[in-house]
Amino acid sequence: MALEIERKFLVKDDSYKAMAYSASRIAQGYICSSRGRTVRVRIRDEKGYLTIKGPSDSQGLGRYEWEKEIDVQEAKELMQLCQGTIIDKTRWIIPAKEEGLKWEVDEFHDKHEGLTLAEIELTSEEQEVEKPDFVGEDVTSDPRYYNANM
């Protein structure tokens, strides 16, 4: 079973763009989202993905995650089944100071224009990371910032 452990933060400014080594456009929607269990379809550049996530732990840090790459045309078809708004965002990848880690900064468009969030996946819930200057308030346990709730 794959366990996703991540922390999420508001972003203070756009200085992350100068540090980024890649950027991708992402469209994603939720086929199902209830009580923390989600089935997500995503198109990232020209690749499709289907992801199933379980509920978060009490701190909002860890949760089961299963993801599989699917044909982009299948992903486009599955987008038609999604509930609510399709999320449109640009994901910037920034190296972390800690070896093997990276920051993912999501700059939201359309309905959520102006919102920018930074996430970092950890190897354990106790792992400490040095926050870059662009990283602000920790919103890991705030459900308003879960993509499935947007």
Side-chain angles (χ1 to χ4, degrees):
M1 180 185 310
L3 182 65
E4 172 189 59
I5 302 168
E6 69 181 14
R7 293 186 62 199
K8 187 178 290 200
F9 302 86
L10 294 175
V11 171
K12 298 189 287 189
D13 60 48
D14 69 355
S15 62
Y16 61 89
K17 290 181 181 180
M19 300 176 222
Y21 61 85
S22 76
S24 300
R25 194 68 178 239
I26 296 174
Q28 70 184 39
Y30 292 84
I31 294 171
C32 168
S33 180
S34 65
R35 294 188 199 161
R37 291 171 173 82
T38 60
V39 178
R40 178 185 73 202
V41 61
R42 171 182 281 174
I43 298 171
R44 183 175 185 162
D45 296 326
E46 291 303 313
K47 292 185 176 185
Y49 301 90
L50 184 63
T51 306
I52 299 171
K53 293 187 179 192
S56 296
D57 65 17
S58 62
Q59 297 176 337
L61 285 172
R63 65 194 277 176
Y64 169 79
E65 179 182 64
W66 176 90
E67 184 169 80
K68 180 171 178 63
E69 186 174 335
I70 61 173
D71 180 81
V72 71
Q73 187 56 44
E74 291 173 330
K76 288 177 182 178
E77 291 171 15
L78 287 171
M79 284 279 186
Q80 303 304 309
L81 299 175
C82 291
Q83 305 168 332
T85 305
I86 301 298
I87 294 172
D88 180 21
K89 61 188 179 181
T90 300
R91 173 163 290 168
W92 302 80
I93 308 297
I94 297 97
K97 296 213 178 198
E98 296 76 15
E99 187 176 336
L101 298 183
K102 64 185 177 201
W103 288 92
E104 296 179 340
V105 176
D106 289 342
E107 177 184 354
F108 291 84
H109 307 292
D110 298 331
K111 182 180 175 184
H112 304 291
E113 190 76 37
L115 176 62
T116 306
L117 297 171
E119 297 178 353
I120 190 162
E121 283 200 32
L122 307 173
T123 56
S124 75
E125 291 186 7
E126 297 78 29
Q127 184 176 11
E128 294 291 326
V129 293
E130 186 176 334
K131 294 189 298 184
D133 291 340
F134 64 82
V135 171
E137 179 186 351
D138 187 329
V139 293
T140 301
S141 59
D142 189 337
R144 292 178 299 168
Y145 298 103
Y146 297 173
N147 280 244
N149 292 339
M150 291 187 188

